[in-house]
Amino acid sequence: MDPAFFHSPAPAVARDLIGALFLVDGVGGRIVETEAYDADDPASHSFNGPTARNAAMFEAPGHAYVYRIYGLHWCFNIVCDAQRAGAAVLIRALAPTAGVDLMHRRRDLAPLRQLCAGPGRLCQALAIDDRLNRAPVTQAPFTLVAAPRPATIAQSPRIGVRAGAETPWRFCEAGSPFLSRPMREASA
DNA sequence: GGCATGATGGCCT
DNA sequence: GGCCATCATGCCA
């Protein structure tokens, strides 16, 4: 994928990544769930400016930002927005397509639907940790290929955030069984 | 199905 | 000391 893909603001990149193929060392699948964050966003790690932890968010678009959450899980983001620093897209869930057996073993034999259904789970399945922080996602060991056709996108507030809880910057492939949580009903 | 809780690190006030 | 962009497990229904 061309680095220019990541030059747009975070919500646009988050939307456009739905359906893209994402692999680490040939293991992974199609992206079915993302969330956008930027520096004006009180839910974002970049909201209060650069720190040692979030330094990768201020790299050029197309770099990885990997951080540890709750002391034990990893979360994987891609820096975006060529106009303003501190924006990134969190990859939250994949539909597994490649290296399913290996992911199954790494995930302690979790069922297929839960192999990559959540930011911590997909990092475990793809063996992502802080060694990949600040690495360019346009190069090995990453493979990132744009979606062959536009997916049907559903949109909702983000999961697990308090500040900015109303901002609808979660993007999902509508109807996918591999989401971290079902899309909230947009009732009548 | 829902809800409560523990694990556990780094950053914040 | 409290708060997290989380997950697995246990209990109860």
Side-chain angles (χ1 to χ4, degrees):
Chain A
M1 193 172 273
D2 190 280
F5 182 91
F6 303 103
H7 286 188
S8 301
V13 175
R15 184 193 61 225
D16 293 346
L17 279 173
I18 300 299
L21 181 68
F22 176 58
L23 311 175
V24 176
D25 284 322
V27 175
R30 282 186 310 103
I31 296 172
V32 296
E33 181 177 347
T34 60
E35 285 178 359
Y37 293 85
D38 75 20
D40 294 331
D41 170 5
S44 174
H45 291 174
S46 59
F47 184 61
N48 288 316
T51 67
R53 176 177 65 155
N54 70 18
M57 285 191 85
F58 295 87
E59 292 274 2
H63 284 73
Y65 168 44
V66 181
Y67 66 89
R68 201 193 263 286
I69 187 159
Y70 298 110
L72 61 165
H73 302 293
W74 299 103
C75 289
F76 177 80
N77 302 249
I78 303 175
V79 179
C80 57
D81 198 335
Q83 301 304 309
R84 225 171 55 259
V89 173
L90 171 68
I91 309 301
R92 288 192 55 90
L94 308 178
T97 62
V100 170
D101 288 347
L102 182 52
M103 292 194 285
H104 198 232
R105 290 197 295 274
R106 286 170 173 166
R107 290 268 303 120
D108 200 18
L109 309 184
L112 182 67
R113 292 168 66 119
Q114 295 179 191
L115 274 192
C116 303
R121 290 164 173 171
L122 83 85
C123 283
Q124 184 179 15
L126 273 60
I128 292 170
D129 61 26
D130 59 342
R131 291 171 303 173
L132 292 173
N133 192 34
R134 306 180 86 145
V137 301
T138 47
Q139 300 174 22
F142 296 105
T143 303
L144 204 41
V145 181
R149 55 179 155 271
T152 305
I153 308 289
Q155 199 173 343
S156 82
R158 295 168 293 185
I159 305 294
V161 308
R162 292 171 62 86
E166 68 291 344
T167 304
W169 280 4
R170 176 186 181 221
F171 299 86
C172 298
E173 180 163 317
S176 171
F178 300 104
L179 303 179
S180 65
R181 290 171 49 174
M183 191 51 81
R184 193 167 67 185
E185 291 293 328
S187 59

